[in-house]
Amino acid sequence: MTISSIAKKLIGVNRCKIENIDIETEVGIERLVIKASPYKCDRCRCGICGRRAPKYDKGKGIRHWRALDIGNSIPVYVESEAPRVKCPEHGVVVSQVPWARHGSGFTKNMEDSTVWLSLYMSKKAVSEYLRVKWETVGSIIGRAVKELSAGTDRFDDLVNIGIDETSYKKGHKYLTVVVNHDTNTVVWVGIGFGKTVLEGFFELLTDKQKANIKAASGDGAGWIKETVETNCPNAVFCIDPFHVVSWVTDALDQVRKEEWNDARKQLSEEKKLIKAGKAEPKDSAETEQLVKTIKSSKYPLLMNPEHLSENYSAKLDMILLHDRRLATAYRLKEELRLIFKLPPEEVSAAIDKWRRRAWSCRIPQFVELQRKIRRHKKAIIAAITLGLSNARIEATNNKIKLSIRMAYGFRNLDNLKAMIMLRCGGFEVSLPGRAA
């Protein structure tokens, strides 16, 4: 194998001419410089579309593209002229080179390796291993996602979609995420939340694509339902059991906190009586035990009974025995959760029966919850009938939060959107020279 062939392997392309290879020293650091040029048939092509175009000028002269290091110690650069061409469609642009993407200062092999590593390593590890800035990694991911998405329309096969918002930063900074239920992939990400933001997604769809959407699931937010009904008249809006159970567990937790605070107030009053000599210390022992029991009751109450350990089961039995109001709230939570395991034709009657019980329990949180379920009953039944669940979207939200933690946050929101699409968009990413 010749030196020229080895150099082509280093930069990851065969369709180029190697003119010279040299080791240079810059600021005390040695680097390998491969001087290359495209074949004659590949010259004077638009850097964006690849179409042949007349030469416009010399551009900025000699350019360098960073390649993968040799042995993780010696940087490698590709050196070549970069004239500009005048494309009939894109105007004056830098001509295409076979070893790099348009607008990039890195070879394709270098970028593909960076993209793969960013999926599995933290920001600090990628930056240190490849000796690049994290901001640079973001732009590399953006170019890779653009190339992976080329030639396909992610909105063509949308039938069942899920919509949700998730925070990406403290201070009420949110993203709106749209997921394809059938492929479990993210199809769109918007910065912010609300009707105006979601309208941005539907503006990208054609009338035919909007008509193809048959069902859209959400968490019951009014702006999601209103936007879906306005843009997709053929779609059925669904609120899946995942969120309904979340509502009832939140209501139960509010009751738990109230009972804990009431028990603490009662204990404080009893201690005052004991201090004043109007009661015996033993009189407060039962209340003190109740405070401790309720304080540690969050997980026994909110977890599904089949997942409780022996210790948690014992705590739950003690809570239900000593706190009647909390016991009522817990049973209502379990009854509602079990409704969604019934056959679809039995769910409507079961929900009505549960609502009557919640109304008569006189617990404010559950009285308000049954009103909320009454308002959304049609959407809840639709989700059960169609078998849609936003649990997939919640899993996607967890992936998004993990991506943000691994990157120690994102300042450039375009880079954040590119990372989300790369990680959750269903793309197959592999290292250079290896099968996906």
Side-chain angles (χ1 to χ4, degrees):
M1 182 178 285
T2 63
I3 297 296
S4 177
S5 299
I6 294 174
K8 290 179 181 180
K9 294 291 184 183
L10 285 176
I11 63 177
V13 293
N14 290 319
R15 293 185 60 82
C16 69
K17 180 182 177 182
I18 304 300
E19 298 175 0
N20 187 33
I21 302 175
D22 196 9
I23 292 182
E24 299 178 356
T25 303
E26 184 176 329
V27 198
I29 300 175
E30 290 185 336
R31 64 179 191 172
L32 182 68
V33 179
I34 301 172
K35 189 173 182 180
S37 61
Y39 286 150
K40 189 175 181 178
C41 61
D42 293 329
R43 295 174 189 170
C44 293
R45 291 185 177 273
C46 174
I48 299 174
C49 63
R51 182 189 304 178
R52 273 195 170 279
K55 185 176 178 180
Y56 183 76
D57 61 15
K58 292 183 179 181
K60 295 184 179 180
I62 300 297
R63 283 188 60 188
H64 292 85
W65 290 266
R66 171 84 180 277
L68 288 169
D69 297 349
I70 297 178
N72 296 330
S73 58
I74 302 177
V76 178
Y77 289 84
V78 181
E79 179 182 286
S80 179
E81 294 181 352
R84 295 194 296 174
V85 297
K86 190 172 183 179
C87 176
E89 182 181 351
H90 301 102
V92 179
V93 295
V94 178
S95 62
Q96 187 182 69
V97 291
W99 54 79
R101 296 180 175 94
H102 179 69
S104 173
F106 301 88
T107 63
K108 291 179 181 178
N109 270 8
M110 175 71 172
E111 290 196 334
D112 292 344
S113 298
T114 303
V115 169
W116 189 88
L117 289 171
S118 66
L119 288 174
Y120 304 102
M121 297 170 65
S122 69
K123 166 187 173 180
K124 183 178 180 181
V126 175
S127 299
E128 187 172 342
Y129 181 75
L130 296 175
R131 289 187 279 197
V132 295
K133 293 182 179 179
W134 181 247
E135 293 78 6
T136 305
V137 174
S139 59
I140 288 173
I141 292 172
R143 285 190 292 272
V145 169
K146 186 177 180 180
E147 184 176 284
L148 291 168
S149 303
T152 60
D153 191 339
R154 301 179 65 80
F155 307 140
D156 272 347
D157 301 323
L158 290 181
V159 178
N160 302 307
I161 63 172
I163 305 167
D164 200 8
E165 75 276 0
T166 183
S167 63
Y168 68 90
K169 192 177 181 180
K170 291 181 180 178
H172 301 286
K173 303 293 184 180
Y174 289 92
L175 298 169
T176 300
V177 182
V178 179
V179 171
N180 185 341
H181 274 299
D182 300 317
T183 60
N184 194 23
T185 56
V186 174
V187 295
W188 183 82
V189 180
I191 305 300
F193 72 100
K195 186 177 179 180
T196 305
V197 175
L198 188 56
E199 285 285 358
F201 164 69
F202 287 106
E203 288 173 1
L204 299 175
L205 273 61
T206 64
D207 291 339
K208 183 179 178 181
Q209 289 169 338
K210 291 178 183 178
N212 286 338
I213 297 176
K214 303 302 180 186
S217 65
D219 59 1
W223 59 270
I224 296 178
K225 183 179 180 182
E226 184 179 344
T227 309
V228 169
E229 290 176 347
T230 302
N231 291 277
C232 301
N234 297 333
V236 177
F237 184 71
C238 306
I239 300 176
D240 66 306
F242 178 89
H243 281 104
V244 179
V245 173
S246 175
W247 296 344
V248 75
T249 53
D250 288 344
L252 174 59
D253 198 40
Q254 291 174 19
V255 175
R256 180 190 68 84
K257 290 175 181 177
E258 284 185 0
E259 291 298 291
W260 182 50
N261 288 329
D262 290 344
R264 287 168 62 205
K265 289 178 182 177
Q266 182 181 342
L267 179 62
S268 177
E269 291 173 0
E270 289 177 356
K271 285 185 175 180
K272 287 179 181 179
L273 293 175
I274 292 171
K275 192 174 182 179
K278 297 180 180 180
E280 296 293 328
K282 63 180 181 180
D283 295 337
S284 66
E286 186 177 345
T287 306
E288 190 170 355
Q289 180 60 40
L290 181 62
V291 170
K292 291 180 180 178
T293 301
I294 297 176
K295 182 180 179 180
S296 61
S297 67
K298 180 176 180 178
Y299 292 109
L301 287 170
L302 302 187
M303 287 177 67
N304 295 341
E306 59 270 21
H307 298 153
L308 291 176
S309 64
E310 187 175 341
N311 185 30
Y312 276 173
S313 295
K315 283 186 177 181
L316 179 62
D317 292 339
M318 186 177 295
I319 296 162
L320 300 183
L321 183 64
H322 290 90
D323 195 310
R324 183 178 177 182
R325 189 166 179 262
L326 205 50
T328 300
Y330 175 78
R331 292 190 182 98
L332 285 170
K333 185 267 287 189
E334 282 302 305
E335 288 171 7
L336 183 61
R337 187 177 68 85
L338 294 175
I339 284 174
F340 301 117
K341 296 184 179 181
L342 297 174
E345 60 273 12
E346 299 179 15
V347 171
S348 179
I351 288 177
D352 290 338
K353 183 178 179 180
W354 183 90
R355 283 187 51 241
R356 288 192 293 270
R357 290 203 60 190
W359 175 267
S360 61
C361 75
R362 304 291 180 89
I363 301 175
Q365 291 83 353
F366 282 83
V367 173
E368 182 58 34
L369 177 59
Q370 68 85 23
R371 293 194 186 105
K372 187 175 183 179
I373 290 175
R374 181 189 62 192
R375 292 195 301 268
H376 297 296
K377 179 182 175 183
K378 184 179 178 181
I380 294 170
I381 295 174
I384 297 170
T385 304
L386 295 174
L388 293 185
S389 173
N390 260 31
R392 287 182 173 181
I393 300 183
E394 297 301 325
T396 299
N397 289 344
N398 287 336
K399 285 185 181 179
I400 292 172
K401 292 182 185 298
L402 175 62
S403 301
I404 294 169
R405 286 198 298 271
M406 288 176 67
Y408 298 94
F410 284 86
R411 291 186 179 180
N412 188 314
L413 297 182
D414 288 334
N415 292 346
L416 170 58
K417 291 165 66 175
M419 175 61 86
I420 292 170
M421 294 304 298
L422 179 69
R423 189 179 289 274
C424 308
F427 298 115
E428 290 187 356
V429 180
S430 60
L431 285 167
R434 306 187 195 182

